[in-house]
Every structure is written in structure tokens, then in C-alpha cells.
Amino acid sequence: MYIAFPGSYAESLVNQIINWQCCPRSLYSPVNCPNFPPQPSAGPAQLSPSLSGLSLQSQTPEALRVVNLLQERNLLPLGPVTPPTPCLPQDLQKINCHPEVFRSTLTSIPQTQSLLNKAKLPLGLLLHPFKDLSQLPVVTSSTIVRCRSCRTYINPFVTFLDQRRWKCNLCYRVNDVPEEFMYNPVSRSYGEPHKRPEVQNATLEFIAPSEYMLRPPQPAVYLIVLDVSHNAVETGYLDVVCQSLLENINALPGDSRTKIGFITFDSTIHFYNLQEGLSQPQMLIVSDIEDIFLPTPDSLLVNLNECKELVQDLLRSLPQMFGKTMETQCALGPALQAAFKLLSATGGRVSVFQTQLPSLGVGALKSREDPNQRASAKDIQHLSPATDFYKKLALDCSGQQVAVDLFLLSSQYCDLASLGCISRYSAGSVYYYPSYHQQHNPAGVECFQKDLKRYLTRKIGFEAVMRIRCSKGLSIHTFHGNFFVRSTDLLSLPNVNPDAGFAVQMSIEENLVDMQSVSFQAALLYTSSKGERRIRVHTMCLPVVNSLSDIFAGADVQAITCLLASMAVDRSVTASLSDARDAMTNASIDSLTSFRTSVLTIQQPGLLAPACLRLFPLYILALLKQKAFRTGTSTRLDDRVFAMCQLKYQPLAYVMLMIHPALYRVDDLTDEGALNVSERTIPQPRVQQLSVEKLSRDGAFLMDAGSVIYLWIGRNCNPNFLTQVLGLPNYAAVPLNMNMLPELDTAESQRTRVFVGWLREQRPFFPILHVIRDESPLKASFLQNMIEDRTESALSYYEFLLHIQQQVSK
Amino acid sequence: MVLLTMIARVADGLPLAASMQEDEQSGRDLQHYQSQAKQLCRKLNAQSPNRCTLEAGVMSFHYVLEHGVCYLALCEAVFPKRLVFGYLEDLQTEFHEQHGKKVSTVSRPYSFIEFDTYIQKTKKTYIDSRARRNLGSINTELQDVQRIMVANIEEVLQRGEALSALDTKASNLSSLSKKYRSDAKYLNTRSTYAKIAAGAVFFITLIVYLSCVLLPFITWRRTILLQFELAPDLTI
């Protein structure tokens, strides 16, 4: 038995450890000292539940401070929005699961369902289970200690009755402590089971013994499926894909068993024989797309290490091979069937690159979008798939441990609502690059390149399953994300990647009377790219409360918003978009009404909200104006469906930036209050409200919208900024398509670039930077993010608040 | 055709390496054989024959035990035994050379899963009939293949089961005898109690009887005495 902190996680240690330990930008307030412990938050956090009830009468905790939204205009905190801290005893909270990994919409769980119904807030969990971590204890042990009745893994929140017995915190069964567990390998001492790493860490990983394997661990298997029809070749994406694969071929996660294969398709399916010993790759064409078969079964998927030269050969010649193709048809369905056949013996990852609506064979689709209806349509049609072919195939794939990732590079409608099913049910991911073209859209190309690099080199888990358990009395009823629910609570994930998020909704089945706290545990069993079977376990503990005011005090507005967004996506597909929009508005009205009638003792005029929910109406309005749910503004159907996909499977931190971008003024960056990380000084400008009134013509503003960053230059912008940061003589010289900040040797340039670089490091994908001025075509999308302002079709923030107030005081 | 290959440590049955099954296309479900193979590896011990063929219906397991490591292959029963053992010997030589020293120290299952690459390559040379011709050497080397023991998989697995059944029966017996003993003890004490109780009852009855018989006598005597005593008064 040994405990290890794997070396691979130690890369760029200092920076990441800080992120993990105390101050990820998006969640914690800036802390200058890297070793500063997490700040205890204000409010009832330090009090036990019984005490906090008492203290409410004498003094209101910060979270419940009443805010009149109509009067207080500036609600955004100076730094990022922090999640509330559960009111648990300090020693428990210290080891609780990190909120970036595991988060609940209510950090205080109501005692009964009726109490929850009264609060009108959704109860659910948000997970980012496979997040890249800088520190992860790994335990190798022949027996993994689990509860004998509910199979919960032993965790920091169990109680030891004595040295020999422990009580499960989920089902309350008393279990024996196995002999092996009595020895602590970290301190090399005997008889201290409560000091074992399993009981000291809320997040850790086990190396699984052979009982956790149905078959020998599979090798890493990658299959690249490329559209090579005329339209695809025209966009020039093949160059980028092949180049990126060539550059990263040694960085693909795997070991000496790693396998790779290629399929290309237009109206026929092309296979590539890459068997060792051939002088060059052999192309095999199957034109019978009605009944697809594999022309040669064992040399299409080859060992990457042994056939690397042939693979590189193929990648170099592939872009030219189809240079003069006149074939416009595209048989995606049969190509996917072929991919499934090829991988079904081992499982693995299929990466599909598609540039148009599939037109041949099974799974052919017809255009369902009427461009004239984009803005005017009352209700959005065609959000659900046109055929169940892709879903069925995805389920077959899931059964054989195959995941399909879809890269959609297209300028026309591709019916993502139908195609997306292939990734959704096989636990893949979807990438979408609208209007992709090598020459006409250089920013898109750069973004595609960076995304591909991350995609090819990021960690990957194969043949995974995830189970989420919760304390007796609570039950999980709906799951959000990309997966297939195999049995009631087992999520089948043929692949799991570090950028995937999940959400679940819960209900309270039995009253949680007599319980101080409840726990939640997510266990992810996967095969690493090195052929190790591992189990990653996250456990979170939350207090149980019995008063409405305590529930409100523990509300996590960001988690609530994200869960509501996922629920609204489901609603717009099953019912209608307008239904979903109403539901979101009602969610904010209902919870504020409940707060007004049940918690507030003194009635005051205005729209009153507890401080912890003060951003709720703003976030709801932002959601209503988000691409996924907006109406009245011309939105392409694929853009909308893609935004919906993202809301469902992106982790909370990225979804929040998508919903409510961060706006900073950057022409006057100073080192005041700056962060110091690994000898870099990162300026921390204030987050501004998303309103045009905040933009001043003599400034420059940076908007971080998650997948894209805009730098807006005011017409009378400080000439110092133009010359020192952009390297341009005057405003007129700002080019219309500028995507880079020049590396100038000035303090201002240094600061700005460090700040942008730091923002980019916060997420695994690469946001493109657009420098825009008044004449830029992208100005419209920049202004669309100004969600506090009024547009022709949508209310301003103030109007929205008035609308809510009317409903609340009814 | 070799359908499944597995290399395991004999001491505890820990799987060290295996080749992924690649027969999905013919639609055969190998899950059952897979678990049989796992069981078999756990059953084998130092006393098991070094080379053995185990029949399992239309399939056969063949294994080679060497240096505390078991090399197991599953083939169709009609597949030439000579080839399988040649294949297993080949694996054995290579595996022992590459990883032989580390076998006793590992604790993680499938620690040498990367050996799979070699397994697959070797398998190909033995299956491919064209390549097979080049393997003339195995004909001479494995003349004694005929002498390899043949047994039935069910028997081998059940031998263990029978033993374990015997074991459970024995433990049942011992627990039964224990129960008998405690019952007997209990009965003994009960009978003792019964005797004591009977004695007690007897004595109580005796006392009651005596008291019944003697009391009137005594009272009568006392009455008489009283009478005698009263008499003087009366006489007064």
C-alpha cells in the first residue's frame, strides 16, 4: 500500500495549487499571499445551526441583509462572486469538498420537502467530477473500505464509534473497520483509522482492484472521422486538423498500447490500412453505404507507436488528397456506423469533423430552419431531433464504451439538434465553429486550433461510470449533462473528460428530522489512458436546517442559476421556449415572494431580496437574453441549440461567464490590489455592470464572455493606451479584425497582457480576443452582452425588476 | 483461433496482463469464459500440473505454469493444441524476460497490461496460416504435447466447489455438534433443575401434608391445653 502525489499534477504547481487551495479567480476573492488559508466567510457560517437560529433575532447575517433591488443599483461585488460557505463546524468545513468540484444550490438543506416547496428554490447538485486538479491523493490498497449496505466509500464525514467500528454517514449502518485500515501508511502508525487519507480527504482517488473490472482495462483508442466533401475541403479545416494531430501526436494520452485509426467520407466511406510493414498508407473505399462493412478488420486500427510513420505520412498527405474533389454529398450516418463497428471490440473515442447537413444514407437530414423566422417566430420550432437514428446509434456506442465527439464547422444550418444526440448519449462533447473558413475567419481558425490542442492533449478516462449517492431521505430524480443513465442512478460515460460538468435535481423523500447534516458522494470509476482502473471519490457534507430564513441564508445564487438554466433547456425541448422563459421568470418571482412573505417581518416598499440572492433577478434576465433562450433577436437555430448544449454540460464556472460576462475597464490598470502569482503581478480591475452607461468614450473595456474576450476601444480613448498597449498611433488606426495584443516593452502593455493571459488560464479552452471599435462587425455581439440595457425586444434590468416587483407584491 | 489470453500470478490469482477480446464481430459472448478464466487463475496453485488443457464445451482452456506465473489461453476445442502451447511458451519466455523479476512485487491488477501489444503480435503469427508455416520449429520442440494432461473445466472449478462444499458441510457439522453439546448441557441443567424442583415440590407437599396432619393435632392439643388452662378459670 502507498500514497502518491503523481508527478504529472505537479506541473505549474505554484499557480495551480493556489487555485485549488484558496483563490480561483471565479470563486474566491483575491488573496495576495499564496499560502493564505481560505477566508472564513461572513454570516452564520461559523455558528452551529441551533445557534444561528438564535442569532437571527439579534443580528442579521450578511447573507440575509435585506437589499432593495430597485434602489441599490450597484450589486456586483468588487471581485468575483463567492459561493456561500456551509454552516458546519470549522473542522468539517475545512476538509469539505471544494465548491468548484461539488456544489449544492442550497448550502443548507431543508428538513422537509414542504419547507423546500415553501422556499421556492430548486434543490440540486452541480458537479465537475473530472476537473484537472493540482493535488490529488492517490491510494493503492487491496481493500477499499465501503459501507456494507449502501456501498458508500469511507469518507471524512463518517463517525468512528470506536477504533473498530464506523458509522456510515449516508445510510447510518454501523460497519467494522477492516484490519488493514488500522494501519496508517502516511504516518506509519497503527490504531488510528481516523487519520487514514481516506478519512482526511474529501476528494481522492483509489487504484481499483480487479473486482472493479469486467474485462482487462482497455487501451486508449482514437478514431478520427473526417468529412472530405467539396464543402469541407473548401473551408480548409483539414489542414488544421492534420497539422494539429501531427504536432500533438506524441502528446496524445496513452501508453504503448494506444491505437489510432482514420475514416474519411463523402458519398462513400474511405478506410486507411496502416498496417506495419506497408510502404505507404492504403486507402480502401467502401461505396455500399446501405450495408456498411469493414474491408479489412485488423489493420484499420493500428498501434500508434509501431505505425507512427505511416500515420504521419497519412496526415501529411490527407489535406492534398481531396483537394480537387467535386463530391458534394456527405454520408455521415454510414460513416458513424463504420466507426462504431471499428471500435466496438475495444471501445474508445471517435472524433467526428462535419461541415454540412448529412445528405446520404441513414441519418440523412433535411433543413428545418426558415431563416426568415429567426427573429419573428413566436415560438422556436425544431429544438428536438428530427430522427432518432443518432440517439439509437449513440446508445449502441455507449454499450460498447465508444464516445463520439462532434466538431461542427459550418456556415449553413447543420441541424445540431439532431446531430448533437450522437455526443449527448455517448458522453461526448460538441464543438461548434459557425462560419468557419480558413481565409475569411482567421479568429475562428485560431480558436479551432487552440481548442483542438486542448482536446487532443487533455486527460481522458475510458469505460467510465459515475454514481452519485446521497444521505437517506434525499433522492436524485433528474440528471443533466452528456451521458446515458444505465440503471436508476448509474451514469454510463464511455469517455470522461476534464471539461465536462454535470447537474442533478433532488427531492426530499423522508423528513430529515434529528439530522445535523447530510452528505453527498460522487464516485467516478474509469480507466486511465495508461490502463489503470481508478476510482475518484468526492464527498460533500451540508447542514440540515428547519427554518426558511436559514435556507435563504444558504442559497447559492450561481448554482441556482446554472441548475435553472439546465432545467429550462429541458423545458424548451419538451414543452416550448416561451414556457421555459416563463418558468425562469417565475422562479425568481416565486422565491422573492416567498422571502417577502415568510422571512421578512417588517414589510417595506420596493423589491426586497436577501443579499445572497441579490443577483438572482439579474442572472435570470441574463439567461433570458442568452442565445439559448432569447427571442425577438435574430438567432440561428444551430447557435441556439449549441448554447443549450453548453448550458447543460459545461461546468458552473464557465457557464456563469457565458450567462453573465465580466466587464473590466483596462485603460487605467494599476498594480493596486494586484495578485501575485509565481512572480507575476496581475492587476485586478473592478468588475463593471453590463450597461452601456458604464462604457466611456475615453476608455478601453475588456469583456470576458467565457469562450470569447472583447476589447472595446472608445472613440476618444486615452492615446497613451493606444500607443503603449496596442502600438497604434490613433483611434482610426485600430484595424477591424485585430486578435492579438502586440508585445510591447511598456508597463501598460505588460499589465494588460498579463491580465488577459491570466483570464485565459482560468479555463481549459482558449478564448479568442477581439479588439473592436465602433465600426467593427462584432460590435453588435459585444453590445448584446450588455444585458442591463433595453433592446427592441427585451426589457432593461430596471424594467425587469419593476415587472418582478409587480408580481411579487400582488 | 485464440480468443482470450491472460497472464496471472499463481500465488494470489492477481491478473498481470491480458489481451482484449477481439471477437465482437462474430457476436460471441466471452464474458462467461472471462469469469471462468479469472476463477481458474485463482484456483491454480503450485501443486497444479504445469501444463494442462481444460475442456469447456466447444472451447478449451490451455495453460502453462512457469515461475509462479500462469499463462492461460482460450481457444476453440478444434484448434491444434501444439500451436496453442507453442504460443503460450513463446509468451512465457518473453514475459519472463521482460517482467519476470517484478512479478512478485506488484499489487495493482494488470500492472503489465502493456504486454498486450506483444501478445497480440504473437497471436497473429500463430493464427495466420501463412505465417504458421514459418513456425516449423514448434513441431519438433513440442513432440511431447500429447502427454499434456486433459481435464474438464467444470471438474476443475467444481473440484474447488466440492471441496468448499465439503468444507461448509464440515463446518456445518461442527456447528451442529456444538449446538448438540450446548443443547445437551442445557438439557442436563434442565433435568437437574427438574430434579431439584421435584425434590422441592416433594418437600413442600410433605411439609404441607405434615402441617395438615399435624396442625389439627397440635391445635387440638393446644385446645385441650387451653381447655385445661381455662378450666381453672371456669372453675373459678
Side-chain angles (χ1 to χ4, degrees):
Chain A
M1 151 127 214
Y2 66 93
I3 309 284
F5 297 91
S8 56
Y9 295 115
E11 295 159 4
S12 65
L13 243 168
V14 186
N15 180 22
Q16 290 188 6
I17 285 181
I18 297 158
N19 279 347
W20 172 236
Q21 284 184 338
C22 49
C23 50
R25 167 76 185 155
S26 52
L27 294 170
Y28 282 92
S29 47
V31 177
N32 289 333
C33 165
N35 293 324
F36 204 79
Q39 287 177 321
S41 81
Q46 312 314 319
L47 303 163
S48 68
S50 55
L51 270 178
S52 63
L54 286 175
S55 72
L56 277 181
Q57 288 147 17
S58 51
Q59 142 202 14
T60 324
E62 166 59 23
L64 282 181
R65 182 174 57 87
V66 179
V67 178
N68 185 350
L69 296 179
L70 291 175
Q71 272 170 7
E72 280 191 50
R73 284 286 286 128
N74 200 1
L75 297 168
L76 292 173
L78 287 176
V81 180
T82 55
T85 317
C87 13
L88 286 169
Q90 193 116 52
D91 53 330
L92 282 186
Q93 183 46 38
K94 219 166 65 193
I95 46 175
N96 216 347
C97 201
H98 196 275
E100 277 202 339
V101 174
F102 213 153
R103 220 157 139 170
S104 169
T105 54
L106 303 177
T107 47
S108 302
I109 304 293
Q111 212 169 49
T112 61
Q113 180 71 35
S114 63
L115 198 60
L116 173 64
N117 292 346
K118 238 188 239 170
K120 301 276 184 196
L121 289 167
L123 178 60
L125 303 171
L126 286 107
L127 284 101
H128 189 175
F130 205 53
K131 181 177 162 43
D132 286 329
L133 301 175
S134 57
Q135 242 193 8
L136 178 70
V138 179
V139 176
T140 311
S141 151
S142 56
T143 45
I144 294 179
V145 182
R146 300 173 68 177
C147 172
R148 283 180 57 185
S149 84
C150 68
R151 310 298 294 148
T152 297
Y153 296 81
I154 197 165
N155 60 68
F157 310 105
V158 302
T159 33
F160 282 93
L161 301 178
D162 50 49
Q163 277 212 348
R164 288 289 171 179
R165 290 178 306 149
W166 61 278
K167 192 173 171 192
C168 174
N169 53 333
L170 271 75
C171 69
Y172 309 108
R173 182 197 158 104
V174 176
N175 292 274
D176 292 335
V177 176
E179 184 56 38
E180 202 197 322
F181 204 74
M182 298 296 289
Y183 177 71
N184 184 355
V186 181
S187 62
R188 291 168 196 266
S189 57
Y190 185 83
E192 290 180 330
H194 56 282
K195 293 211 175 135
R196 289 266 303 199
E198 289 92 327
V199 194
Q200 291 294 320
N201 296 288
T203 292
L204 84 166
E205 205 159 78
F206 293 100
I207 304 282
S210 60
E211 296 90 76
Y212 292 82
M213 309 171 189
L214 280 176
R215 55 176 195 174
Q218 69 161 83
V221 180
Y222 305 112
L223 180 67
I224 319 287
V225 180
L226 300 159
D227 179 2
V228 290
S229 60
H230 177 72
N231 187 45
V233 174
E234 187 56 30
T235 60
Y237 89 92
L238 274 174
D239 280 321
V240 177
V241 173
C242 292
Q243 194 54 41
S244 190
L245 268 168
L246 275 173
E247 277 164 17
N248 297 304
I249 200 143
N250 293 319
L252 283 175
D255 54 10
S256 69
R257 294 199 298 157
T258 309
K259 288 181 166 190
I260 196 163
F262 294 87
I263 291 178
T264 55
F265 64 98
D266 41 33
S267 62
T268 55
I269 314 292
H270 323 136
F271 295 89
Y272 296 87
N273 185 346
L274 298 165
Q275 200 177 24
E276 218 182 343
L278 288 176
S279 58
Q280 61 174 44
Q282 245 174 28
M283 183 165 153
L284 304 156
I285 300 178
V286 173
S287 53
D288 182 8
I289 55 167
E290 295 306 318
D291 181 22
I292 204 78
F293 63 92
L294 300 181
T296 151
D298 46 347
S299 42
L300 300 177
L301 264 188
V302 293
N303 187 301
L304 178 60
N305 283 356
E306 282 159 9
C307 309
K308 194 171 276 170
E309 286 184 7
L310 275 181
V311 171
Q312 286 170 331
D313 227 23
L314 175 67
L315 287 173
R316 273 186 223 110
S317 53
L318 204 59
Q320 282 81 49
M321 273 159 73
F322 300 94
K324 295 201 172 62
T325 186
M326 295 313 284
E327 189 56 72
T328 52
Q329 303 276 47
C330 140
L332 175 68
L336 286 173
Q337 284 179 326
F340 167 65
K341 279 217 166 104
L342 198 51
L343 285 197
S344 61
T346 49
R349 179 175 81 184
V350 181
S351 318
V352 181
F353 295 83
Q354 169 74 10
T355 62
Q356 57 175 315
L357 206 59
S359 56
L360 268 188
V362 277
L365 297 168
K366 287 195 176 65
S367 179
R368 298 189 287 170
E369 188 190 37
D370 180 358
N372 303 325
Q373 295 283 301
R374 275 182 198 153
S376 58
K378 258 217 133 163
D379 230 327
I380 308 300
Q381 303 288 308
H382 308 307
L383 289 173
S384 48
T387 160
D388 63 353
F389 168 77
Y390 294 98
K391 180 179 177 180
K392 276 188 178 156
L393 186 61
L395 295 184
D396 289 343
C397 285
S398 175
Q400 299 298 334
Q401 307 294 355
V402 176
V404 184
D405 293 329
L406 182 66
F407 288 82
L408 206 54
L409 309 114
S410 158
S411 43
Q412 297 138 12
Y413 175 70
C414 275
D415 201 352
L416 186 58
S418 304
L419 294 185
C421 289
I422 191 76
S423 299
R424 180 168 171 200
Y425 295 99
S426 69
S429 26
V430 178
Y431 294 82
Y432 177 52
Y433 304 90
S435 318
Y436 184 88
H437 196 277
Q438 190 137 41
Q439 269 99 48
H440 306 156
N441 187 0
V445 173
E446 194 194 358
C447 183
F448 179 52
Q449 272 170 339
K450 302 275 183 180
D451 281 358
L452 256 184
K453 182 168 194 280
R454 162 76 184 167
Y455 173 77
L456 292 173
T457 55
R458 72 185 176 190
K459 216 170 128 86
I460 181 168
F462 295 96
E463 41 182 2
V465 284
M466 181 163 77
R467 198 188 292 273
I468 304 167
R469 295 184 172 85
C470 41
S471 283
K472 213 167 107 189
L474 293 166
S475 86
I476 293 174
H477 58 82
T478 310
F479 297 87
H480 301 279
N482 286 359
F483 49 74
F484 171 60
V485 186
R486 199 147 72 197
S487 60
T488 47
D489 61 341
L490 188 70
L491 306 186
S492 160
L493 307 164
N495 279 184
V496 59
N497 71 67
D499 305 333
F502 300 87
V504 297
Q505 285 168 254
M506 289 190 297
S507 59
I508 302 165
E509 302 272 286
E510 291 165 43
N511 293 350
L512 307 170
V513 192
D514 307 331
M515 286 185 207
Q516 290 288 310
S517 63
V518 285
S519 301
F520 308 89
Q521 188 172 69
L524 177 75
L525 172 65
Y526 70 95
T527 301
S528 76
S529 51
K530 302 259 183 285
E532 285 175 329
R533 202 81 171 128
R534 286 166 170 249
I535 311 165
R536 192 175 285 192
V537 180
H538 305 284
T539 317
M540 176 173 66
C541 181
L542 294 176
V544 175
V545 296
N546 59 7
S547 78
L548 265 182
S549 54
D550 287 343
I551 297 175
F552 276 102
D556 182 339
V557 67
Q558 291 192 316
I560 291 173
T561 311
C562 289
L563 186 66
L564 278 177
S566 285
M567 290 159 70
V569 171
D570 280 359
R571 180 70 73 89
S572 21
V573 176
T574 53
S576 69
L577 194 72
S578 55
D579 230 35
R581 288 171 57 89
D582 290 347
M584 283 189 286
T585 318
N586 289 340
S588 61
I589 294 171
D590 289 346
S591 56
L592 292 183
T593 314
S594 161
F595 177 73
R596 191 189 180 95
T597 52
S598 316
V599 179
L600 282 184
T601 39
I602 313 150
Q603 295 297 335
Q604 304 159 350
L607 180 59
L608 307 176
C612 61
L613 284 181
R614 69 189 188 282
L615 296 174
F616 195 28
L618 179 65
Y619 285 160
I620 292 293
L621 179 69
L623 270 179
L624 294 177
K625 293 188 177 183
Q626 225 282 323
K627 255 186 205 157
F629 302 112
R630 72 185 177 198
T631 50
T633 320
S634 173
T635 311
R636 293 201 297 188
L637 193 52
D638 279 346
D639 284 1
R640 189 186 292 278
V641 173
F642 181 62
M644 287 184 169
C645 292
Q646 281 187 307
L647 287 178
K648 280 203 76 156
Y649 78 73
Q650 290 246 351
L652 180 136
Y654 317 143
V655 170
M656 276 326 292
L657 277 181
M658 237 179 92
I659 296 173
H660 189 270
L663 184 70
Y664 308 94
R665 181 165 186 161
V666 289
D667 57 319
D668 52 358
L669 287 180
T670 59
D671 286 344
E672 198 183 317
L675 260 184
N676 277 306
V677 180
S678 47
E679 296 177 10
R680 285 184 310 165
T681 308
I682 301 154
Q684 296 293 307
R686 226 202 117 128
V687 179
Q688 308 277 342
Q689 283 166 269
L690 291 172
S691 169
V692 175
E693 81 185 74
K694 291 286 163 190
L695 299 178
S696 62
R697 279 175 175 275
D698 55 352
F701 289 81
L702 189 84
M703 179 191 278
D704 177 10
S707 55
V708 53
I709 295 177
Y710 300 100
L711 178 60
W712 182 84
I713 312 290
R715 187 168 287 278
N716 307 328
C717 181
N718 188 352
N720 190 34
F721 181 80
L722 289 173
T723 50
Q724 303 295 316
V725 176
L726 299 178
L728 300 168
N730 52 45
Y731 177 78
V734 176
L736 284 179
N737 52 353
M738 188 172 174
N739 300 109
M740 290 266 286
L741 289 179
E743 289 191 25
L744 301 178
D745 199 17
T746 60
E748 288 87 350
S749 166
Q750 180 78 11
R751 271 193 212 116
T752 318
R753 279 184 294 118
V754 164
F755 181 60
V756 173
W758 180 74
L759 286 178
R760 281 180 170 158
E761 281 164 23
Q762 311 290 311
R763 60 213 82 169
F765 44 86
F766 183 84
I768 348 165
L769 175 81
H770 292 290
V771 179
I772 51 174
R773 53 184 239 193
D774 279 346
E775 294 78 15
S776 301
L778 278 168
K779 194 186 160 205
S781 42
F782 171 73
L783 289 180
Q784 249 158 20
N785 282 331
M786 292 295 180
I787 49 139
E788 296 199 15
D789 294 332
R790 187 162 193 272
T791 64
E792 307 121 50
S793 54
L795 301 177
S796 74
Y797 178 52
Y798 192 73
E799 289 167 327
F800 184 67
L801 287 179
L802 284 179
H803 169 69
I804 290 185
Q805 191 213 3
Q806 256 175 20
Q807 301 292 318
V808 168
S809 36
K810 236 183 208 171
Chain B
M1 172 107 182
V2 181
L3 298 168
L4 200 131
T5 313
M6 192 167 158
I7 302 176
R9 186 161 69 189
V10 176
D12 54 357
L14 182 82
L16 299 172
S19 187
M20 292 285 300
Q21 59 212 42
E22 295 223 348
D23 204 38
E24 222 73 29
Q25 275 170 310
S26 65
R28 239 182 309 220
D29 185 22
L30 292 181
Q31 206 67 58
H32 173 62
Y33 291 108
Q34 186 109 38
S35 63
Q36 268 190 339
K38 263 192 193 173
Q39 277 178 41
L40 188 65
C41 287
R42 253 175 256 138
K43 286 274 153 61
L44 293 175
N45 54 39
Q47 278 77 47
S48 312
N50 274 348
R51 278 157 187 58
C52 189
T53 296
L54 303 166
E55 290 164 349
V58 291
M59 301 286 182
S60 291
F61 284 102
H62 307 272
Y63 74 80
V64 169
L65 287 188
E66 206 71 59
H67 304 291
V69 179
C70 164
Y71 304 83
L72 179 80
L74 174 74
C75 309
E76 284 135 346
V78 293
F79 194 74
K81 238 164 125 180
R82 214 176 33 179
L83 279 178
V84 187
F85 279 98
Y87 163 68
L88 290 176
E89 292 290 345
D90 195 334
L91 293 187
Q92 188 266 324
T93 325
E94 182 68 23
F95 187 81
H96 187 66
E97 199 179 304
Q98 278 190 23
H99 308 291
K101 286 187 190 123
K102 287 172 274 172
V103 165
S104 54
T105 57
V106 295
S107 60
R108 184 167 66 78
Y110 298 106
S111 294
F112 309 113
I113 190 73
E114 296 191 44
F115 191 68
D116 178 22
T117 320
Y118 183 81
I119 299 181
Q120 290 195 12
K121 247 197 254 166
T122 320
K123 194 158 70 181
K124 243 176 225 163
T125 57
Y126 278 86
I127 289 168
D128 193 345
S129 53
R130 275 170 300 173
R132 219 185 275 167
R133 267 183 234 131
N134 307 332
L135 295 167
S137 55
I138 56 165
N139 294 348
T140 50
E141 276 171 28
L142 289 154
Q143 282 307 320
D144 55 345
V145 80
Q146 300 302 330
R147 274 179 282 156
I148 286 170
M149 201 179 123
V150 179
N152 188 292
I153 179 84
E154 294 298 329
E155 275 171 30
V156 176
L157 293 182
Q158 267 164 23
R159 193 186 299 151
E161 271 165 38
L163 272 178
S164 65
L166 200 68
D167 193 43
T168 44
K169 274 178 193 159
S171 63
N172 275 351
L173 262 182
S174 88
S175 67
L176 275 177
S177 70
K178 261 182 207 153
K179 192 168 176 271
Y180 177 74
R181 195 179 142 166
S182 66
D183 283 358
K185 233 181 192 171
Y186 173 68
L187 273 177
N188 259 340
T189 38
R190 241 179 70 174
S191 74
T192 321
Y193 286 141
K195 274 179 199 157
I196 293 168
V201 169
F202 173 73
F203 277 109
I204 290 164
T205 9
L206 195 70
I207 290 161
V208 172
Y209 170 75
L210 282 180
S211 53
C212 293
V213 175
L214 294 179
L215 262 180
F217 181 69
I218 295 163
T219 33
W220 175 71
R221 266 189 63 186
R222 279 177 79 179
T223 351
I224 296 171
L225 281 176
L226 278 174
Q227 276 168 5
F228 278 115
E229 278 165 25
L230 287 172
D233 280 348
L234 286 172
T235 52
I236 293 163

